[in-house]
C-alpha cells in the first residue's frame, strides 16, 4: 500500500506542482472551450488524456518505446501550442472543436506520457510488477487533473455568470495566452 501511495502522490504532483505548468496549460487549453454544464464531457476528456499518458508511460517503462528526452521536452509544449491554436481557429465551431479535443487529448497524452518515462524507468527498476506503481501514478494524475478542471470551471462560472464575460472572448483570451506561453516553451526547447 505504501508503494501505491508513493506513486499516487507522484501522479498528483505531476499535475499539481508548480513545475507542472506544461500539463496545467494543456488541461486549460483542452477545457477552455467547454462550460461548467459540460463537466461530464470534460471528465471523459481528461480521462482520454490519462489513457494516452499511461499507454506511453507503460511502453517506455518496458523499454518498448524510447524517444530522446530533448525531443519529448520539445514536443510537449508543441502539443499545447497546437491545442490552443486549434481553439483560436475553430472558436466559431465549438461542436467540431469539442470533438477534436477528444482526439487531441488522447494523441497528445501519448506524447506527454513520455515526459515522465525516464524518471519512472529509474524508479521501477527494482519493482517486480509495474501494475501497482502505474495504477497509483495514473490515479494521482487523474485526481490532480480533476482538481485543475474544477478550479477552471469555478473561474469560468464566475466570469460567465457574475461578470458576464462572452464565452468566445474567454476562449480567445485563454487560448491566446496559453498559445503564447507554449510557443515560448517550444522555441526554448528546440532539440536541433
Amino acid at each position: 500500500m505504501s508503494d501505491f501511495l508513493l506513486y499516487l502522490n507522484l501522479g498528483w504532483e505531476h499535475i499539481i506542482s508548480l513545475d507542472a505548468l506544461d500539463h496545467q496549460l494543456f488541461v486549460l487549453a483542452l477545457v477552455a472551450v467547454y462550460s461548467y454544464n459540460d463537466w461530464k464531457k470534460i471528465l471523459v476528456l481528461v480521462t482520454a488524456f490519462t489513457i494516452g499518458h499511461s499507454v506511453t508511460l507503460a511502453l517506455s517503462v518496458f523499454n518498448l518505446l524510447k524517444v530522446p528526452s530533448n525531443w519529448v521536452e520539445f514536443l510537449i509544449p508543441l502539443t499545447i501550442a497546437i491545442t490552443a491554436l486549434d481553439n483560436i481557429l475553430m472558436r466559431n465551431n465549438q461542436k467540431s472543436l469539442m470533438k477534436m479535443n477528444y482526439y487531441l487529448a488522447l494523441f497528445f497524452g501519448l506524447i506527454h506520457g513520455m515526459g515522465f518515462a525516464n524518471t519512472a524507468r529509474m524508479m521501477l527498476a527494482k519493482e517486480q510488477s509495474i501494475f501497482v506503481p502505474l495504477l497509483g501514478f495514473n490515479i494521482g494524475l487523474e485526481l490532480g487533473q480533476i482538481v485543475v478542471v474544477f478550479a477552471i470551471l469555478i473561474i469560468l462560472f464566475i466570469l460567465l455568470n457574475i461578470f458576464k464575460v462572452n464565452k468566445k472572448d474567454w476562449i480567445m483570451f485563454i487560448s491566446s495566452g496559453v498559445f503564447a506561453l507554449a510557443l515560448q516553451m517550444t522555441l526554448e526547447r528546440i532539440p536541433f
Side-chain angles (χ1 to χ4, degrees):
M1 186 64 166
S2 64
D3 281 350
F4 176 81
L5 293 176
L6 169 74
Y7 289 100
L8 181 109
N9 187 54
L10 282 173
W12 170 266
E13 289 292 322
H14 191 64
I15 191 77
I16 294 295
S17 77
L18 295 176
D19 294 334
L21 180 61
D22 53 352
H23 282 326
Q24 295 161 2
L25 288 174
F26 186 64
V27 171
L28 180 58
L30 284 173
V31 173
V33 299
Y34 293 88
S35 68
Y36 46 88
N37 293 329
D38 297 320
W39 66 270
K40 289 179 186 175
K41 292 177 185 176
I42 296 169
L43 291 180
V44 171
L45 181 73
V46 296
T47 300
F49 174 76
T50 301
I51 289 168
H53 197 278
S54 44
V55 166
T56 50
L57 186 54
L59 291 173
S60 296
V61 167
F62 283 124
N63 289 321
L64 297 173
L65 176 68
K66 280 192 173 187
V67 177
S69 61
N70 60 336
W71 276 96
V72 174
E73 292 304 314
F74 166 73
L75 290 172
I76 288 174
L78 182 62
T79 65
I80 301 164
I82 290 169
T83 304
L85 185 61
D86 191 45
N87 287 352
I88 294 166
L89 297 176
M90 294 184 64
R91 71 185 176 280
N92 292 324
N93 191 351
Q94 287 187 19
K95 280 189 176 184
S96 295
L97 181 55
M98 287 179 183
K99 286 181 186 177
M100 174 64 82
N101 276 357
Y102 286 105
Y103 299 110
L104 292 178
L106 181 61
F107 180 69
F108 289 165
L110 294 169
I111 293 169
H112 285 240
M114 291 183 280
F116 190 69
N118 289 335
T119 304
R121 208 177 292 117
M122 288 186 297
M123 291 182 70
L124 295 174
K126 298 174 187 167
E127 294 284 335
Q128 292 290 340
S129 167
I130 68 160
F131 177 75
V132 169
L134 283 180
L135 179 66
F137 182 84
N138 287 315
I139 290 173
L141 180 72
E142 189 76 2
L143 291 173
Q145 288 180 149
I146 290 169
V147 168
V148 170
V149 163
F150 278 109
I152 294 167
L153 291 179
I154 289 169
I155 292 167
L156 179 60
F157 180 83
I158 291 168
L159 290 174
L160 294 181
N161 291 306
I162 296 174
F163 293 104
K164 304 296 183 197
V165 171
N166 181 294
K167 186 158 181 208
K168 286 183 183 175
D169 292 341
W170 156 265
I171 294 169
M172 187 66 174
F173 177 77
I174 291 299
S175 298
S176 297
V178 169
F179 177 76
L181 288 170
L183 182 61
Q184 178 184 354
M185 284 191 271
T186 303
L187 294 175
E188 290 171 351
R189 299 177 185 179
I190 293 175
F192 42 86

